[in-house]
Amino acid sequence: MERRVYIVDDDPLSRDALEEIIALLPDVRCEQIESGIDLLARLPHLAPGVVLIDLKMPDLSGLDVLARFGEARDRLPTIMMSVAGDIPAAVEAMRLGALDFLEKPCTPRALLEKLNRGFAALDAYCRSTAAHAALHARFASLSERESEVLRYLIDGKVNREIAELLRLSVRTVEVYRAKLMMKLGVESLAEAVRLAITSGFVQAEAA
């Protein structure tokens, strides 16, 4: 699978030098971005990837940009780059959610090691996103009636009470219950409740 790296630096020579090193990695697509402002403008449409961003740029600093990432931070693990010895900036970058800090100038080995850590974080994010989408699809597959039955079960109602509330027979409620458990791939109500909270089907306090 192709992986992406976004190099954000106002110095074109620096960007080119980094891209030459990154080209040593297989299946990696590199994109150069000239400023923090350009990165933020493209942020909503950027595919998941590792961001290499310079700390000191003329428009917005790397820290300024990272502070504005919001939810995009999860799909864009970021490595902050700066001159050696800038410890306060490194600490602030980590506080803002940076994955790592890279001192410039760097060796090819140091850069590739940091990138591999970024790719590992990106892989974890993609797996988590795929798992959440699959879980959401399970709940989306429930019929309206099955969803109603599940909500009543989560509220602590037994089959007889649900049958009365929905004006159904107890046997029909049992059938709906069996179907929703099968669609969710669970064997117990406790499991169904846990998945319902994880997926956002219900709020934790409501359960």
Side-chain angles (χ1 to χ4, degrees), residues 74 121-136 198:
D74 292 334
L122 191 59
D123 288 344
Y125 163 76
C126 291
R127 286 194 299 271
S128 174
T129 301
H132 187 77
L135 181 58
H136 182 76
T198 301

Side-chain angles (χ1 to χ4, degrees), residues 8-165:
V8 188
D9 195 320
D10 62 296
D11 182 356
L13 294 179
S14 179
R15 295 197 305 268
D16 288 342
L18 289 169
E19 185 166 358
E20 283 184 14
I21 298 173
I22 295 169
L24 299 173
L25 292 172
D27 302 320
V28 174
R29 177 179 176 182
C30 205
E31 293 186 36
Q32 297 189 16
I33 300 177
E34 296 180 2
S35 70
I37 289 178
D38 289 342
L39 175 64
L40 291 175
R42 295 176 56 186
L43 196 60
H45 311 293
L46 282 183
V50 177
V51 175
L52 283 171
I53 186 168
D54 194 41
L55 173 65
K56 295 182 179 179
M57 295 183 288
D59 51 5
L60 293 175
S61 73
L63 295 177
D64 291 333
V65 174
L66 191 58
R68 302 183 191 189
F69 265 17
E71 294 181 358
R73 189 176 292 111
D74 292 334
R75 62 182 171 84
L76 295 168
T78 300
I79 298 167
M80 189 70 65
M81 302 182 295
S82 183
V83 295
D86 199 343
I87 303 302
V91 172
E92 180 64 9
M94 298 298 183
R95 189 186 70 79
L96 291 172
L99 178 70
D100 214 329
F101 194 84
L102 182 65
E103 293 184 345
K104 296 168 62 178
C106 65
T107 64
R109 179 177 179 178
L111 174 59
L112 297 180
E113 284 179 353
K114 302 287 187 182
L115 285 177
N116 282 329
R117 187 180 176 202
F119 290 139
L122 191 59
D123 288 344
Y125 163 76
C126 291
R127 286 194 299 271
S128 174
T129 301
H132 187 77
L135 181 58
H136 182 76
R138 287 196 226 175
F139 282 90
S141 72
L142 299 180
S143 69
E144 183 177 350
R145 187 64 86 187
E146 288 163 355
S147 294
E148 287 180 319
V149 170
L150 177 57
R151 291 184 189 281
Y152 280 127
L153 288 170
I154 292 172
D155 285 342
K157 301 287 192 299
V158 298
N159 290 352
R160 178 180 51 77
E161 293 173 314
I162 297 172
E164 291 175 358
L165 288 166

Side-chain angles (χ1 to χ4, degrees), residues 170-181:
V170 174
R171 175 57 184 159
T172 300
V173 171
E174 290 173 348
V175 170
Y176 281 128
R177 178 170 178 162
K179 285 184 176 180
L180 71 88
M181 299 282 273

